[in-house]
C-alpha cells in the first residue's frame, strides 16, 4: 500500500446571494464556474420577479457574483 497523498486541484464555483435579507429573502445559488451565464440570468429573473428591480447581467456579475472554493 502506498503512502502517497493525492494532490487534489482546488475546485471553484460561482455563488450569488440576494442582498435584501431585510425583506426576508433567502435566495442563494451556487453553480459550477462554467455555468456563469445561467447563474446571471436566474439571478436577474429573481430580482425582477421578487423585488421589482431591473439590473443588467453586467451589474449583477460585478456586484454580486463571488468565486468560492468547494
Amino acid at each position: 500500500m502506498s503512502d502517497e497523498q493525492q494532490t487534489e486541484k482546488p475546485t471553484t464555483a460561482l455563488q450569488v446571494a440576494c442582498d435584501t435579507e431585510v425583506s426576508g429573502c433567502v435566495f442563494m445559488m451556487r453553480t459550477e464556474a462554467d455555468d456563469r451565464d445561467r447563474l446571471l440570468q436566474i439571478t436577474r429573473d429573481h430580482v425582477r420577479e421578487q423585488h421589482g428591480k431591473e439590473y443588467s447581467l453586467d451589474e449583477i456579475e460585478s456586484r454580486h457574483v463571488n468565486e468560492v472554493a468547494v
Side-chain angles (χ1 to χ4, degrees):
M1 211 170 184
S2 174
D3 288 334
E4 281 185 42
Q5 291 182 342
Q6 288 184 333
T7 305
E8 290 187 26
K9 180 181 173 187
T11 304
T12 59
L14 300 175
Q15 177 174 298
V16 66
C18 187
D19 63 356
T20 58
E21 292 89 4
V22 173
S23 69
C25 185
V26 293
F27 175 84
M28 179 183 282
M29 192 167 85
R30 184 180 286 183
T31 189
E32 294 177 16
D34 62 354
D35 208 7
R36 180 179 298 268
D37 291 339
R38 192 169 75 100
L39 173 76
L40 295 172
Q41 187 62 50
I42 291 170
T43 302
R44 183 170 69 174
D45 292 347
H46 164 80
V47 173
R48 181 177 48 241
E49 293 169 9
Q50 298 299 315
H51 304 292
K53 296 180 181 180
E54 288 287 334
Y55 290 103
S56 72
L57 297 178
D58 290 335
E59 288 175 308
I60 291 169
E61 183 170 19
S62 67
R63 293 183 192 175
H64 302 287
V65 175
N66 297 305
E67 206 169 275
V68 294
V70 289

